[in-house]
Amino acid sequence: MHLAYPAVLAVLLFSVGLYGVLARRNAILVLMSVELMLNAVNLNLVAFDVWLHDTLHAGQALTLFTIAIAAAEIGIGLAIVLMVYRNRGTSDVDRLRDTKEAPAAEQPSADEKAEATA
């Protein structure tokens, strides 16, 4: 098998993922686009491992490592997106730019918080 076929497919997958990261506003679609980009990298790793006839199969080992990292990334990313959606009511990435905390002058003091809870 020629190396060009999986390489071209990987380039297409990575391009679609990059477009999704740059153009989408929904955080879940951005996470899916990052997964596409990681899958393109995995395809390249396995294709070059087969093409080079590596006896240690380093490309396949790195692919397993990348899959584990991607699973952790999607788990943490999805948890963050769900928490933001619960707090803000939207997962629009453009609206999340104002997530910084209020200045100290606007925040209530500890005494005011205690009086509010009592």
Side-chain angles (χ1 to χ4, degrees):
M1 180 171 82
H2 295 289
L3 184 62
Y5 298 133
V8 168
L9 180 61
V11 166
L12 291 175
L13 276 175
F14 195 85
S15 299
V16 169
L18 186 63
Y19 172 75
V21 167
L22 296 176
R24 299 293 177 176
R25 295 185 180 190
N26 189 349
I28 294 176
L29 292 178
V30 170
L31 287 174
M32 289 175 57
S33 299
V34 169
E35 289 294 321
L36 271 177
M37 292 167 59
L38 288 173
N39 285 333
V41 170
N42 289 340
L43 181 61
N44 267 334
L45 286 171
V46 171
F48 276 98
D49 182 51
V50 170
W51 186 65
L52 293 174
H53 302 290
D54 187 16
T55 57
L56 296 176
H57 300 292
Q60 294 178 20
L62 284 173
T63 299
L64 288 175
F65 181 71
T66 307
I67 290 171
I69 295 297
E73 172 259 332
I74 200 70
I76 292 172
L78 193 57
I80 291 171
V81 168
L82 287 175
M83 187 60 107
V84 167
Y85 182 76
R86 284 182 189 167
N87 289 338
R88 301 237 174 201
T90 183
S91 63
D92 189 5
V93 176
D94 289 337
R95 293 186 182 181
L96 299 179
R97 293 188 181 165
D98 57 347
T99 57
K100 69 178 184 175
E101 294 182 17
E106 295 177 11
Q107 291 181 351
S109 66
D111 295 332
E112 292 173 356
K113 287 181 183 178
E115 289 176 8
T117 57

